[in-house]
Amino acid sequence: MLTSVQHDTFDKQGFVYLRGAFSATAAAAMEDRLWAELATLQGARRELPETWPAVFATGLQGLKADPVFKPIGSSVTVGALDDILGAGGWQRPQHWGQCLASFPPRPGQPDPLTKAIWHTDFSFVNSDDRLAGAVVFGFLSEVSSRSGGTAVLEGSHRVVQRYVATQPRETLMPMKRGRKALLGSHPCLAELAAIAGPNWLAPHLGRELEVDGLTVRVGELTGAAGDLVIGHPWLLHAPAPNRTSRPRLMSVKRILATAAASND
C-alpha cells in the first residue's frame, strides 16, 4: 500500500517510486537472463563492451513470458496498483518481462537519441474520468544519473489532463496527432519538444517551466536493482541518451484499468 506521502507524490509529480519492490537477488536473476538472451541473439557478452548492441537492444520479445520476471509483479507492486487504480480496477498482466536495454553509443556510430521525443504510452481519450491505467518501470540493475534512465516531465500529467478537457475528441485522435497538438499548444511545451543534441537531457535536468500556472520539471528515472516506478498514464516521458560506460537495464509494463476503453 502507498503512504499518504506517496499518494501526494503521485498526484503532484505523476509518478511514484517503490524502493525495493522486488529483491536485488531477483533483479540479478533477471539481469542474468537478459544477458543470456543478448548472447544468444547478438553474441553480446557482459564483460566485453565491444560486443554490446549499438544503443538499443532489439528482439527481446521472447523474454516477456519468462517466469524469472514474475517478481516484478510482487505484493508491493500489486498493492500500489490497487491503491492507484482500485482493487479489482485493473487487469493483471500475463507477463512482466518486457525489457528495456540501452547502451552507450559506439565511437563513430550514429546516435538515434539526439532529440527529445516526449510522449505518453496511453492515448488522450478515456471512457470516463478514471485513470486509463498506469505504466510500471522496473530496475533490473542500478541506473544512475545520465545513464539512459527514462526522461520524465514531472507534473506533465496535469497539463495533459487540462488540455484533454478542453479539446474535441477529433483533435485527440489518433494518438500521434493528439501528441503533436498537445506539444504545440503552449510555447514552453513547444520549446521542450524542440530540444536536440547528442546529450540533450543533461543541460535541462532539473529545469522548471510554467505552463499556464502549472509547473513542470525535467527529470529522469534512476534507481537501484529491485526498485520500481509507477507512472500516471498521461505522464510525458522520453528515451534518454546513455552517457556512461554501463548499460541501462529496465523493464516496462503498461497496466490497463478494467473500465478503460481501448482507444490506441
Side-chain angles (χ1 to χ4, degrees), residues 143-232:
V143 175
S144 58
S145 181
R146 305 181 188 184
S147 64
T150 302
V152 291
L153 193 57
E154 299 172 11
S156 57
H157 63 300
R158 296 179 297 162
V159 174
V160 175
Q161 285 173 326
R162 186 171 64 185
Y163 176 77
V164 167
T166 64
Q167 298 300 308
R169 186 181 180 90
E170 57 268 22
T171 304
L172 305 173
M173 295 181 65
M175 194 171 178
K176 185 176 181 180
R177 176 182 175 183
R179 179 170 64 245
K180 183 178 180 180
L182 166 72
L183 294 174
S185 66
H186 190 278
C188 286
L189 295 178
E191 180 185 352
L192 288 171
I195 293 174
N199 195 21
W200 67 263
L201 178 60
H204 297 278
L205 272 177
R207 182 183 177 191
E208 292 187 352
L209 299 96
E210 187 172 301
V211 182
D212 292 334
L214 295 176
T215 300
V216 297
R217 178 180 181 275
V218 180
E220 61 180 340
L221 300 184
T222 62
D227 288 349
L228 185 143
V229 170
I230 297 181
H232 190 285

Side-chain angles (χ1 to χ4, degrees), residues 118-124 160 175 179 233-237:
W118 298 106
H119 67 284
T120 70
D121 290 345
F122 287 75
S123 73
F124 296 153
V160 175
M175 194 171 178
R179 179 170 64 245
W234 287 344
L235 175 71
L236 288 167
H237 56 282

Side-chain angles (χ1 to χ4, degrees), residues 16-63:
V16 63
Y17 278 95
L18 303 178
R19 302 297 185 184
F22 53 101
S23 72
T25 300
M30 298 173 200
E31 184 180 6
D32 289 344
R33 179 66 186 89
L34 175 56
W35 277 110
E37 187 76 358
L38 289 171
T40 299
L41 293 174
Q42 304 182 30
R45 295 176 59 182
R46 191 183 323 203
E47 70 277 12
L48 296 176
E50 62 270 23
T51 68
W52 293 352
V55 184
F56 286 117
T58 59
L60 300 176
Q61 294 86 348
L63 292 177

Side-chain angles (χ1 to χ4, degrees), residues 33 39 44 65 83 115 128 131 133 140 177 181 184 194 225:
R33 179 66 186 89
D83 280 355
K115 190 179 189 304
D128 54 33
L131 295 184
L140 310 188
R177 176 182 175 183

